[in-house]
């Protein structure tokens, strides 16, 4: 819906990103579609990726930031691409942005079925500094119920291949509180994965996202959520176990050894700017957030036509302030009211978020330390309920349009 | 028009017995409305009326019918069917010389049939019984005619049997109107006296006054005076309804039509008032004028605490088109500033509430309706109480009185036992029982109005599978052992949830309110305690366990917008809640104080 009035937020007038802006690249191909997954990704066949990388480069030429400080190649499954395609992608991106010299962190998402020593070694040479491996579970029956195409052993082999190839920073992605999952089994799985020696663990409680097979089955009564008490137990056990292994829970679902945070993701929670390339990728530049079409075909057509984004929104400073708090409170570091105001461009005398934060401190859900507010251990599992308090609804975001 | 060729009549019927359909057929038959313009039910025109199928405001229409070679002007005056609008029915009937008593030949006589028929008889109208829906296979005209004779006491042997749906018999009904109903008796040469029997607010034309000229003649340009309010106006336009408004320049004795002047507020016109010429000869006022009495009260509070002014404006605008509710500012400890509104009855309350929400886009909290109570002081004086919150502590007054309704119930005979039990459970006092036919019974009970509001009507409907009907009028105020039932949320008294109950019922009601609140109030980040108390005694309690986990697992750059919108939606859901202390209470919870009524919605 485009109207003359919101010209300011349409593609043509979105400002170019500053040099150094973090860069995300979305590769939508996977070996199979997992039953819980709501990313834009699909079970691909060889021909799907024909012309994909060149198109991505065309988009990069137009929109990629120079000298990004971090790069994240995600998906989907980037390692689904052939080595030849990966070479073209990384070389092309470096030619356009110079990331190999500028980026402190370059993460690539991988899945066990498409990562071996040769590919891992090549990724390292191409400029990757960090791999994130989709392990999800070490139980064959759970992996199967997820619709994953690999078993537990393959996950270990992929991890080992990454280590052997010389990667130091390794993340494992894990999911807990799956239907029927035993909490002690989960703790054992976690134990085993920790034994592999990752520097980073992303552990998510299973979410039933709209549009996924899992959500459909849940509605049909074929699957059930673990239930609040059990989910909470999983959540707390996960946090406790990882903490005792020396991992810091620096975000609600992200844990790392000291100094091994994912810088790229930290920027999201700081509500910082970023540029996303590829289908479904989202960017935040200046006050605007905008995204590409969630369809390979539409994205392709849009890139060829040099069209603007498929949707965009420009938040009012007030709304942006609420968003900044919401995102920031996901992290252990928490939120500094002054920084949040600066990020949101909020200039009013009275800071509504601050009042809200103080009330939540009273209720024992937030704690204030050194001028920053963060969730307490009781507040952590209630992060969304807390977030809602900061978000604004009285006025809708200025000029949202979707086309 | 000479009065010999005028007939003024209305149709009285229970809801759904086919009044609107019959009116439509008459309009069609007399050519007032072309078939192709015919919307169903031309006479009901407010959106809400259409939706609910009830007629809220009276309407009038002038049609022409030929009988034995002569043309007659027939004025059909529509009457509301619901008990809440009793006074308006009375005024509409006062404008007529006759009434068609329309009864569904399958369903039989119902409570409002009887109530409205009595009104017509009391008003000295010629009542012509008409049996409708005889096209239905289960129509039982003979039995129903007998029911009419028993319940109303008029001769129904010659009752016309018609089908408003197919049109069968409708022309004969019009003939009968001319033949049986007397022409208006007024004197066209006497000084002007016109009865105001209704008034509506029209966005374009302002206030439109419906009148029946009793004596004399009114012409455009004349200056008139309303005798009851003593206000004077110029007749800017005078005309009749065809059913569209058609300016005729004048109306004379016996005729029915409208009057437009520069009247701004509906409150300036009183239904039942008499209109005469300004500085004309002294005339006697037409009988029966009174202010509407409000039987049911409820408080409206804006959901957003700051929107008090917005609500005031909305109420003001609404009062332009409905002068029969009252409003005055109130404050509640729990809900802040709002308005206490008085209504003719429950239906009227619902209509006002829905119009505020729809036409004025108001987000409101509405408290459960209560009736007017009276407290008797030591010195014998009495004070009215319009909300439980107003009730002083028991040592400050001598006695608490409540309004008693005389309820007429018309039910199929097999339910008599069940109904008597329900009446007893609702503190009803038996008055009498009559068999209208072998299958239908009329029960009369005196029941506290508060009980009728609480859940009596729902119980009646459900225990008679919808066949029982109810009509009531307030006959008395009676003292009883009534107590204030207080609700505490996290140990704080919430005045808006308090109610007045009979001491013996308080415990059970308290438990049921607390149970409902437990369902309505969402979980919070802390435990919420709910208690019901009478005086210092806690009679029921429940806790709402704290919310323990509510967290989005994944949130990265691509998710932010979508996830934020989901959270914002959650927050928007809270807009319809009111915060009391730390607890968010949804609008619906405030109706938990009612019995089954609140659950059905
Ligand atoms: N079968 C049949 N149905 C009728 C007849 N007259 C009215 N109805 C139906 O009865 C219902 C109520 O009629 P309506 O005129 O709205 O009743 P009101 O509430 O008295 O105005 C509608 O569904 C009509 O279609 C009739 O003569 N025969
Ligand atoms: S591999 Fe990852 S991106 Fe692909 S379908 Fe599974 S969860 Fe989704």
């Amino acid at each position: 819906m485009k109207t003359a009035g919101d010209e300011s937020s349409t593609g043509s007038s979105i400002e170019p990103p500053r040099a150094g802006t973090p860069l995300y690249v979305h590769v939508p191909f996977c070996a199979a579609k997992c039953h819980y997954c709501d990313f834009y990704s699909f079970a691909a066949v060889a021909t799907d990726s024909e012309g994909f990388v060149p198109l991505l480069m065309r988009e990069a030429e137009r929109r990629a930031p120079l000298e990004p400080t971090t790069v994240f190649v995600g998906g989907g499954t980037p390692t689904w691409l052939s080595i030849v395609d990966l070479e073209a992608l990384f070389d092309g991106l470096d030619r356009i942005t110079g990331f190999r010299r500028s980026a402190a962190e370059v993460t690539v998402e991988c899945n066990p079925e498409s990562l071996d020593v040769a590919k891992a070694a090549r990724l390292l040479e191409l400029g990757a500094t960090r791999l994130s491996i989709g392990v999800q579970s070490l139980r064959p029956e759970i992996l199967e119920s997820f619709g994953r195409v690999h078993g537990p052993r393959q996950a270990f082999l992929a991890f080992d291949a990454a280590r052997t190839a010389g990667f130091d920073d390794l993340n494992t992605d894990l999911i807990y509180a799956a239907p029927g999952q035993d909490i002690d089994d989960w703790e054992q799985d976690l134990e085993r994965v920790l034994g592999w020696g990752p520097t980073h663990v992303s552990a998510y409680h299973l979410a039933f996202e709209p549009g996924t097979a899992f959500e459909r089955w849940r509605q049909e009564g074929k699957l059930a959520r673990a239930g609040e008490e059990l989910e909470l137990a999983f959540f707390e056990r996960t946090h406790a176990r990882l903490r005792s292994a020396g991992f810091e829970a620096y975000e609600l679902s992200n844990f790392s050894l000291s100094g091994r945070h994912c810088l790229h993701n930290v920027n999201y929670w700081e509500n910082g700017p970023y540029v996303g390339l590829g289908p479904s990728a989202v960017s935040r530049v200046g006050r605007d957030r905008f995204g590409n079409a969630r369809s390979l075909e539409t994205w392709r057509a849009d890139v060829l036509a040099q069209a603007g984004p498929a949707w965009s929104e420009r938040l009012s400073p007030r709304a942006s302030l609420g968003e900044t708090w919401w995102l920031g409170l996901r992290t252990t570091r928490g939120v500094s009211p002054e920084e949040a105001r600066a990020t949101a461009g909020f200039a009013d005398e009275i800071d509504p978020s601050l009042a809200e934060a103080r009330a939540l401190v009273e209720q024992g859900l937030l704690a204030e330390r050194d001028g920053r507010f963060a969730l307490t251990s009781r507040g952590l599992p209630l992060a969304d309920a807390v977030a809602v308090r900061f978000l604004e609804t009285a006025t809708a975001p200025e000029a949202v349009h979707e086309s | 028009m000479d009065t010999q060729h005028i007939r003024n009549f209305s149709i009285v019927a229970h809801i759904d017995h086919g009044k609107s359909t019959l009116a439509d057929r008459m309009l069609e038959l007399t050519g007032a409305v072309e078939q192709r313009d015919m919307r169903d039910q031309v006479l009901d025109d407010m959106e809400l009326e259409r939706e609910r199928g009830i007629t809220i405001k009276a309407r009038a229409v002038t049609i022409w019918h030929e009988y034995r070679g002569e043309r007659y002007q027939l004025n059909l005056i529509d009457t509301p069917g619901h008990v809440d609008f009793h006074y308006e029915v009375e005024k509409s009937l006062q404008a007529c010389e006759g009434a068609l008593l329309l009864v569904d030949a399958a369903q039989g006589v119902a409570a409002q049939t009887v109530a409205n028929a009595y009104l017509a008889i009391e008003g000295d109208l010629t009542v012509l019984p008409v049996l409708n829906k005889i096209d239905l296979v289960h129509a039982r005209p003979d039995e129903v005619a007998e029911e009419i004779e028993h319940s109303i006491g008029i001769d129904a042997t010659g009752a016309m049997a018609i089908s408003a749906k197919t049109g069968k018999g409708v022309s004969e009904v019009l003939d009968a109107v001319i033949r049986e109903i007397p022409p208006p008796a007024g004197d066209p040469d006497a000084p002007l006296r016109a009865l105001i029997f209704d008034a509506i607010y029209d966005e374009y034309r302002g206030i439109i006054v419906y009148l029946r000229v009793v004596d004399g003649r009114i012409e455009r340009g004349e200056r008139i005076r309303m005798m009851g309010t003593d206000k004077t106006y110029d007749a800017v336009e005078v005309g009749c309804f065809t059913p569209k408004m058609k300016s005729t320049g004048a109306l004379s004795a016996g005729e029915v039509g409208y009057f437009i002047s520069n009247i701004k507020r509906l409150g300036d016109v009183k239904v039942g008032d008499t209109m005469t010429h300004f500085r004309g000869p002294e005339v006697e006022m037409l009988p029966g004028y009174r202010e509407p009495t409000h039987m049911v009260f409820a408080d409206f509070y804006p959901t957003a605490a700051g929107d008090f002014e917005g609500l005031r404006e909305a109420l003001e605008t609404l009062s332009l088109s409905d002068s029969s509710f009252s409003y005055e500012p109130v404050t509640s400890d729990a809900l802040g500033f709002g308005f206490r509104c008085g209504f003719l009855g429950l239906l009227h309350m619902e209509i006002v509430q829905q119009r505020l929400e729809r036409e004025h886009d108001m987000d409101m909290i509405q408290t459960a309706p209560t009736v007017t109570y009276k407290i008797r002081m030591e010195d014998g004086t009495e004070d009215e109480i319009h909300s439980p919150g107003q009730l002083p502590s028991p040592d400050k007054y001598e006695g608490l009185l409540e309004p008693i309704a005389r309820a007429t119930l018309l039910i199929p005979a097999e339910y008599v036992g069940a109904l008597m039990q329900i009446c007893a459970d609702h503190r009803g006092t038996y008055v009498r029982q009559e068999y209208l036919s072998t299958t239908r019974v009329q029960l009369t009970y005196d029941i506290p109005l508060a009980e009728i509001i609480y859940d009596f009507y729902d119980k009646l409907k459900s225990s008679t599978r919808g066949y029982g009907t109810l009509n009531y009028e307030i006959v008395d105020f009676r003292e009883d052992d009534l107590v204030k039932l207080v609700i505490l949320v996290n140990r704080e008294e919430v005045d808006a949830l308090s109610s007045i109950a009979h001491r013996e019922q308080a415990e059970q009601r308290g438990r049921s309110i607390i149970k409902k609140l437990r369902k309505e109030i969402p979980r919070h980040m802390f435990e919420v305690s709910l208690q019901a108390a009478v005086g210092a005694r806690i009679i029921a309690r429940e806790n709402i366990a704290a919310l323990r986990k509510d967290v989005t697992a994944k949130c990265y750059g691509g998710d932010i917008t979508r996830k934020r919108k989901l959270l914002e939606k959650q927050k928007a859901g809270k807009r319809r809640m009111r915060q009391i202390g730390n607890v968010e209470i949804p609008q619906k919870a405030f109706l938990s104080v009612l019995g089954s009524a609140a659950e059905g919605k």
Side-chain angles (χ1 to χ4, degrees):
Chain A
M1 187 182 56
K2 280 183 200 182
T3 58
D6 62 19
E7 252 314 296
S8 60
S9 71
T10 59
S12 53
S13 63
I14 287 171
E15 52 188 288
R18 296 193 189 171
T21 301
L23 175 64
Y24 174 80
V25 177
H26 191 83
V27 179
F29 314 113
C30 289
K33 181 73 183 177
C34 302
H35 299 149
Y36 55 80
C37 172
D38 75 332
F39 290 120
Y40 176 62
S41 67
F42 57 92
V45 294
T47 47
D48 285 329
S49 62
E50 268 169 27
F52 176 73
V53 173
L55 215 58
L56 211 50
M57 293 309 115
R58 268 181 91 137
E59 193 186 14
E61 305 251 15
R62 254 185 92 211
R63 303 209 297 107
L66 290 177
E67 296 164 356
T69 46
T70 60
V71 176
F72 196 107
V73 183
T77 308
T79 49
W80 184 91
L81 293 173
S82 65
I83 287 185
V84 177
D85 272 346
L86 288 168
E87 286 169 351
L89 195 159
F90 280 85
D91 290 343
L93 270 189
D94 187 50
R95 181 173 45 73
I96 296 164
T97 69
F99 81 87
R100 281 183 186 137
R101 291 168 53 117
S102 64
E105 177 190 283
V106 178
T107 304
V108 181
E109 279 188 321
C110 322
N111 272 311
E113 70 279 0
S114 53
L115 188 69
D116 54 18
V117 180
K119 199 175 261 178
R122 194 74 192 102
L123 283 172
L124 192 65
E125 287 162 14
L126 289 172
T129 65
R130 183 174 179 275
L131 296 187
S132 171
I133 302 172
V135 176
Q136 317 311 0
S137 172
L138 293 187
R139 302 280 151 175
E141 66 284 2
I142 289 181
L143 288 171
E144 195 177 329
S145 77
F146 283 176
R148 305 283 298 179
V149 295
H150 60 87
R153 191 177 147 71
Q154 222 174 349
F156 169 73
L157 291 176
F159 188 91
D160 197 49
R163 242 316 109 73
T164 308
F167 275 99
D168 189 22
D169 261 348
L170 286 175
N171 171 51
T172 53
D173 258 1
L174 297 168
I175 294 176
Y176 61 83
Q181 188 177 22
D182 181 274
I183 190 166
D184 294 322
D185 286 359
W186 158 245
E187 192 169 355
Q188 277 179 22
D189 289 1
L190 196 54
E191 214 68 60
R192 279 170 65 195
V193 170
L194 289 175
W196 301 350
T199 52
H200 190 287
V201 172
S202 300
Y204 307 102
H205 78 81
L206 179 69
F208 292 81
E209 301 284 357
T212 61
F214 262 26
E215 172 60 6
R216 196 171 67 244
W217 294 336
R218 190 189 65 77
Q219 282 175 4
E220 291 167 359
K222 295 180 186 151
L223 286 182
R225 287 184 59 155
E228 189 183 31
E229 286 306 312
L230 188 55
E231 282 182 17
L232 184 65
F234 268 104
F235 184 87
E236 283 171 350
R237 186 90 69 97
T238 305
H239 277 247
R241 183 65 202 93
L242 284 161
R243 214 177 306 120
S244 72
F247 281 76
E248 183 202 352
Y250 73 101
E251 193 258 1
L252 285 162
S253 306
N254 285 281
F255 306 81
S256 79
L257 294 177
S258 145
R260 305 297 182 104
H261 299 177
C262 175
L263 300 176
H264 185 85
N265 288 341
V266 166
N267 176 60
Y268 291 139
W269 302 316
E270 286 174 350
N271 212 359
Y274 51 92
V275 169
L277 305 177
S280 84
V282 175
S283 307
R284 182 195 199 273
V285 177
R287 282 178 65 196
D288 297 302
R289 192 179 286 116
F290 49 93
N292 288 345
R294 267 176 87 92
S295 141
L296 184 59
E297 287 318 307
T298 312
W299 168 75
R300 194 192 303 270
D302 285 349
V303 172
L304 290 175
Q306 308 211 347
W311 62 269
S312 73
E313 64 176 3
R314 173 172 291 183
L315 296 190
S316 68
R318 170 70 187 85
S320 181
L321 182 69
E323 189 182 80
T324 307
W325 276 81
W326 159 46
L327 294 169
L329 287 176
R330 292 187 64 91
T331 66
T332 314
R333 194 162 170 258
V335 177
S336 138
E338 294 73 39
E339 284 174 21
R341 290 162 60 105
T343 305
F346 184 83
D348 286 10
E349 198 89 348
I350 294 167
D351 183 343
S353 300
L354 193 56
E356 206 55 79
R358 296 232 159 94
L360 288 159
V361 169
E362 288 284 299
Q363 292 179 39
L365 295 161
L366 292 188
E368 186 181 1
R369 209 166 42 112
D370 304 332
R372 302 187 79 88
F373 290 85
L375 291 167
T376 60
S377 56
R378 195 160 77 77
L380 276 179
L382 292 170
D384 283 6
V386 168
V388 165
R389 303 275 291 263
F390 288 94
L391 294 178
E392 199 208 26
T393 52
T395 56
E398 290 168 37
V400 174
H401 86 269
E402 260 166 82
S403 54
Chain B
M1 187 84 210
D2 92 82
T3 52
Q4 288 310 307
H5 286 85
I6 300 176
R7 298 291 183 276
N8 296 316
F9 73 107
S10 67
I11 309 172
V12 295
H14 191 75
I15 213 159
D16 277 345
H17 282 199
K19 185 171 67 175
S20 318
T21 312
L22 177 58
D24 288 355
R25 279 305 91 73
M26 288 178 168
L27 262 60
E28 244 174 59
L29 197 75
T30 57
V33 182
E34 299 267 334
Q35 194 108 19
R36 69 187 141 78
D37 287 345
M38 192 73 199
R39 285 181 306 167
D40 270 345
Q41 307 185 354
V42 174
L43 292 187
D44 285 3
D45 57 13
M46 269 203 274
E47 181 198 351
L48 262 174
E49 285 187 32
R50 257 168 195 287
E51 206 166 278
R52 299 173 154 241
I54 45 166
T55 309
I56 301 168
K57 294 294 278 182
R59 298 284 187 276
V61 61
T62 302
I63 53 183
W64 299 88
H65 186 64
E66 203 157 300
Y67 179 67
R68 294 198 173 152
E70 287 180 51
R71 236 162 86 85
Y72 289 82
Q73 183 195 85
L74 306 185
N75 295 304
L76 166 58
I77 294 164
D78 200 17
T79 55
H82 194 275
V83 348
D84 282 6
F85 305 101
H86 194 270
Y87 180 66
E88 310 205 5
V89 179
E90 207 180 285
K91 290 298 123 188
S92 294
L93 293 178
Q94 204 179 327
C96 305
E97 280 74 38
L100 299 173
L101 177 65
L102 187 71
V103 183
D104 186 322
Q107 249 211 297
V109 171
Q112 276 139 43
T113 315
V114 180
N116 290 339
Y118 279 141
L119 276 180
I121 293 167
E122 277 164 29
D124 271 339
L125 268 59
T126 303
V127 177
L128 305 178
V130 179
L131 303 170
N132 188 28
K133 307 198 187 180
I134 51 150
D135 56 303
L136 293 176
V137 284
H138 48 285
R140 40 186 187 97
D142 295 342
E143 248 175 86
V144 173
E146 197 185 323
E147 285 179 19
I148 294 177
E149 296 195 354
H150 275 98
S151 57
I152 302 158
I154 56 170
D155 181 10
T157 38
M160 289 172 278
I162 68 159
S163 166
K165 190 170 161 186
T166 65
K168 182 173 185 298
V170 175
S171 177
E172 287 75 4
V173 171
L174 290 173
D175 292 348
V177 164
I178 294 167
R179 203 176 48 235
E180 311 281 342
I181 295 176
D187 178 356
D189 302 317
L192 173 68
R193 280 204 306 171
L195 170 73
I196 297 178
F197 66 88
D198 200 0
I200 60 162
Y201 172 79
D202 180 277
E203 239 180 281
Y204 303 104
R205 320 277 332 246
I207 306 298
I208 298 167
V209 176
Y210 287 60
L211 52 116
R212 153 74 196 269
V213 181
V214 175
D215 292 318
R217 180 180 165 86
I218 177 170
E219 279 183 39
R220 180 174 52 222
E222 289 175 342
R223 191 154 180 79
I224 61 90
R225 181 168 76 91
M226 315 271 198
M227 297 179 71
T229 58
D230 202 25
K231 292 201 161 109
T232 58
Y233 297 100
D234 290 319
V236 173
E237 190 180 316
V238 177
C240 65
F241 300 94
T242 65
K244 290 198 188 84
M245 288 199 293
K246 185 175 152 223
S247 168
T248 55
L251 289 171
S252 58
E255 286 186 314
V256 171
Y258 67 89
F259 164 94
I260 295 178
S261 184
N262 50 346
I263 310 173
K264 294 282 172 332
R265 309 179 47 85
L266 202 51
D268 294 339
V269 182
K270 301 292 181 195
V271 168
D273 205 348
T274 304
M275 201 185 259
T276 187
H277 281 128
F278 180 62
R279 299 207 168 126
E282 269 309 305
V283 292
E284 199 178 318
M285 249 181 107
L286 295 163
Y289 162 71
R290 65 177 166 88
E291 296 273 337
T293 27
H294 297 129
M295 291 320 306
V296 173
F297 288 82
D299 294 357
F300 291 157
Y301 296 91
T303 317
D307 210 13
F308 177 77
E309 281 310 318
L311 183 55
R312 181 202 293 282
E313 269 168 42
L315 285 165
E316 250 164 42
T317 315
L318 197 64
S319 72
L320 296 178
S321 60
D322 181 351
S323 59
S324 47
F325 74 93
S326 65
Y327 59 99
E328 58 178 24
V330 277
T331 38
S332 147
D333 295 339
L335 297 171
F337 293 101
F339 290 93
R340 165 140 324 124
C341 303
F343 309 97
L344 302 175
L346 275 185
L347 177 75
H348 185 215
M349 176 188 82
E350 258 181 62
I351 289 167
V352 170
Q353 178 225 330
Q354 289 190 12
R355 287 188 64 194
L356 283 171
E357 287 183 354
R358 270 188 223 182
E359 295 166 24
H360 298 277
D361 210 14
M362 290 307 303
D363 262 334
M364 305 180 309
I365 302 282
Q366 184 210 319
T367 60
T370 73
V371 303
T372 304
Y373 291 89
K374 285 182 183 166
I375 45 174
R376 189 167 46 76
M377 307 309 228
E378 223 165 307
D379 61 5
T381 58
E382 285 182 352
D383 252 342
E384 283 196 357
I385 297 285
H386 293 156
S387 90
Q390 286 178 329
L391 190 66
S393 64
D395 55 306
K396 299 255 163 56
Y397 59 87
E398 282 283 289
L400 186 50
L401 291 80
E402 61 180 339
I404 303 296
R406 173 145 304 175
T408 310
L409 302 151
L410 273 149
I411 51 172
E414 68 233 65
Y415 301 119
V416 167
L419 243 288
M420 287 185 150
Q421 185 56 48
I422 291 174
C423 288
D425 292 347
H426 289 80
R427 298 190 283 133
T429 317
Y430 174 83
V431 178
R432 77 178 90 84
Q433 170 183 2
E434 285 154 90
Y435 272 80
L436 304 184
S437 65
T438 50
T439 56
R440 286 178 78 80
V441 172
Q442 175 172 323
L443 277 182
T444 309
Y445 267 82
D446 282 351
I447 304 178
L449 183 61
E451 297 287 329
I452 293 183
I453 286 176
Y454 182 74
D455 69 351
F456 181 79
Y457 190 64
D458 301 272
K459 286 265 163 67
L460 164 72
K461 282 288 171 196
S462 59
S463 66
T464 60
R465 313 226 323 278
Y467 289 117
T469 53
L470 164 74
N471 197 73
Y472 62 83
E473 61 181 320
I474 305 305
V475 289
D476 196 8
F477 269 80
R478 241 177 249 169
E479 192 163 332
D480 212 333
D481 190 7
L482 303 172
V483 293
K484 184 167 164 193
L485 178 59
V486 170
I487 302 297
L488 304 119
V489 175
N490 271 356
R491 274 156 221 91
E492 257 184 71
E493 176 175 342
V494 181
D495 51 5
L497 289 172
S498 299
S499 56
I500 292 173
H502 192 269
R503 189 179 299 278
E504 276 166 22
Q505 292 167 328
E507 188 159 331
Q508 181 256 323
R509 294 238 164 126
R511 261 201 306 275
S512 122
I513 293 170
I514 296 284
K515 273 225 176 60
K516 271 183 260 164
L517 286 176
R518 208 190 107 110
K519 268 195 243 148
E520 296 293 347
I521 298 177
R523 290 199 298 161
H524 282 63
M525 293 187 275
F526 42 85
E527 190 177 69
V528 175
S529 83
L530 303 170
Q531 295 168 312
V534 170
R537 197 165 68 88
I538 304 289
I539 53 175
R541 69 176 87 227
E542 295 259 1
N543 284 336
I544 302 174
L547 179 68
R548 307 278 311 273
K549 183 164 177 292
D550 180 12
V551 57
T552 304
K554 277 189 193 185
C555 189
Y556 299 108
D559 309 320
I560 294 171
T561 296
R562 194 167 53 85
K563 301 228 149 119
R564 190 196 64 238
K565 282 185 184 163
L566 285 176
L567 292 171
E568 280 171 351
K569 225 194 212 156
Q570 261 185 47
K571 177 142 190 173
K574 297 198 171 176
R575 279 216 305 160
R576 286 186 66 86
M577 300 198 196
R578 259 324 264 276
Q579 190 154 343
I580 292 181
N582 273 332
V583 183
E584 316 247 14
I585 302 188
Q587 137 91 59
K588 255 182 87 184
F590 290 96
L591 296 176
S592 304
V593 180
L594 285 190
S596 40
E599 281 156 31
K601 284 182 208 150

